[in-house]
Amino acid sequence: MTTWDGFQAFATTPVATPPPPGAPPRSLEERLAYHSRFVTVRTPAIGALAKNVRTLMILGRHQTVTARPSLIVTGPAGAGKTTALLQVGRACHLAHTRRHGAEAAAGQVPVAYVLVPPAASAKTLATEFARYLGIPVAAGMSQAQITGAVCHTYTAAGVQLVMIDEIHRLNPRTTTGAQSADLIKDLTERIGATFVYAGIDVTTTPLFTGVRGAQLAGRASLIDCAAFPARLGDEEPFRDLVNAMEGALDLRHHRTGTLPKLAPYLHARTAGRIGSLARLIRQAAITALIDGTERITKTTLEAIRLDHLAEQHYRPRTRPRSRDTSTR
């Protein structure tokens, strides 16, 4: 995904979809592959991000004096930040192709997706930007030379949206972190694109501290990709999410309504994180296909080991056996 060829393949590959009513049954292998990929439920965070990105891209289209306004997607681990980012990037890529036609858009790169490497220096981060478009980087090149090549090539390729993931890895309080933050500021001013960042709980990291942090905070608005609450007023967002995922299952003996009834249990298992929930349901569906039961039950779900974060959070509440101290 962190090269143009990889992202283009992701953006143009048809998304997984449940079988339409009346369609012939799919084979076991087809259904195993389907549940491995599974559907991406359009969450409120994806909707909010898509709307804001589109607005900011229009807002900054003719802005040439200063850096364009940007967005930061924040939230806990497993809350779906990267998924939201990639879905918006896919939508931007496909919209660009529809608008200009496949042939005209063939030589253009509307979207770039870059990961901040651990302990990134300005040079290693600039190299990641170069790697995305296959810009050759010689061993003796300076950071300024790499940055110049990146800005020239990204501008020539018509990059409109730059997505930078794992932004929480930047620490402007350190020398290398400060230099990396300066590089990103430089890129936002020299590349005519909208920048969108994603990171874990960025408001609790040093990212917004100091002069550099204040500059970023003054240009970027936040979208909180939080865990789903069990209840929100009169609504039940998590149950709605579970219901949408159950509706996408392709299991021949699964009883509709089983998973929404288990919503309180599923919320406890996953702490409301969409990443953990999707993994749990996908694994349960694949298990049901392999063992031939073709349905998901609480017993199926209980047998699955989730990510360590979810397992640490979940503590089954068993009632301790009381001791009878009464006398006869």
Side-chain angles (χ1 to χ4, degrees):
M1 208 78 77
T2 54
T3 64
W4 166 235
D5 288 342
F7 184 85
Q8 187 178 35
F10 158 77
T12 55
T13 299
V15 297
T17 56
R26 297 194 280 197
S27 69
L28 175 62
E29 284 302 319
E30 287 174 327
R31 291 185 296 141
L32 284 170
Y34 165 70
H35 288 102
S36 177
R37 293 177 60 202
F38 210 44
V39 297
T40 299
V41 177
R42 188 177 176 85
T43 63
I46 293 178
L49 181 60
K51 181 179 179 181
N52 278 275
V53 167
R54 185 170 182 271
T55 301
L56 291 186
M57 289 178 73
I58 295 173
L59 181 66
R61 188 172 292 165
H62 302 291
Q63 185 171 329
T64 57
V65 179
T66 59
R68 292 160 173 75
S70 56
L71 281 171
I72 296 180
V73 185
T74 184
K81 300 177 296 299
T82 296
T83 298
L85 203 64
L86 292 175
Q87 291 305 312
V88 170
R90 181 208 293 269
C92 178
H93 173 87
L94 295 177
H96 178 83
T97 302
R98 287 194 301 269
R99 189 162 54 247
H100 298 282
E103 288 189 15
Q108 298 178 324
V109 181
V111 180
Y113 176 70
V114 176
L115 287 178
V116 176
S121 66
K123 187 172 183 178
T124 58
L125 184 54
T127 301
E128 286 299 304
F129 275 87
R131 189 171 70 86
Y132 182 80
L133 282 187
I135 302 169
V137 176
M141 289 178 69
S142 66
Q143 179 227 312
Q145 289 173 318
I146 299 171
T147 302
V150 165
C151 293
H152 172 77
T153 309
Y154 274 55
T155 301
V159 175
Q160 300 170 11
L161 176 64
V162 176
M163 305 183 299
I164 304 178
D165 209 348
E166 308 287 352
I167 194 70
H168 58 271
R169 290 175 172 172
L170 288 186
N171 183 358
R173 291 176 182 171
T174 67
T175 301
T176 56
Q179 292 170 350
S180 298
D182 286 343
L183 169 67
I184 290 178
K185 180 177 179 293
D186 189 24
L187 295 176
T188 62
E189 292 172 347
R190 295 173 62 183
I191 299 173
T194 297
F195 280 66
V196 181
Y197 314 93
I200 298 174
D201 296 332
V202 296
T203 54
T204 64
T205 70
L207 193 63
F208 284 161
T209 59
V211 175
R212 293 174 178 85
Q215 288 179 324
L216 179 60
R219 291 175 174 175
S221 52
L222 257 66
I223 291 181
D224 194 357
C225 199
F228 275 68
R231 298 194 69 89
L232 189 62
D234 295 331
E235 299 180 349
E236 297 182 77
F238 188 78
R239 189 184 297 271
D240 293 340
L241 178 63
V242 171
N243 189 58
M245 288 189 178
E246 184 184 66
L249 292 173
D250 191 4
L251 299 173
R252 291 170 185 170
H253 304 310
H254 183 77
R255 293 184 179 181
T256 302
T258 299
L259 296 187
K261 288 178 182 176
L262 293 173
Y265 160 76
L266 291 169
H267 195 272
R269 278 294 307 269
T270 64
R273 289 188 289 266
I274 188 171
S276 298
L277 176 67
R279 175 177 168 178
L280 180 60
I281 292 178
R282 287 164 56 213
Q283 282 191 232
I286 290 171
T287 299
L289 286 168
I290 292 172
D291 65 21
T293 58
E294 296 266 353
R295 64 177 178 270
I296 298 176
T297 65
K298 187 175 181 180
T299 302
T300 314
L301 297 166
E302 279 285 281
I304 292 171
R305 295 289 295 178
L306 269 179
D307 55 276
H308 184 61
L309 195 62
E311 293 295 343
Q312 275 191 314
H313 172 83
Y314 177 62
R315 296 291 184 270
R317 296 181 179 181
T318 56
R319 195 172 189 177
R321 184 178 298 176
S322 59
R323 297 175 61 187
D324 187 1
T325 57
S326 62
T327 58
R328 295 186 180 183

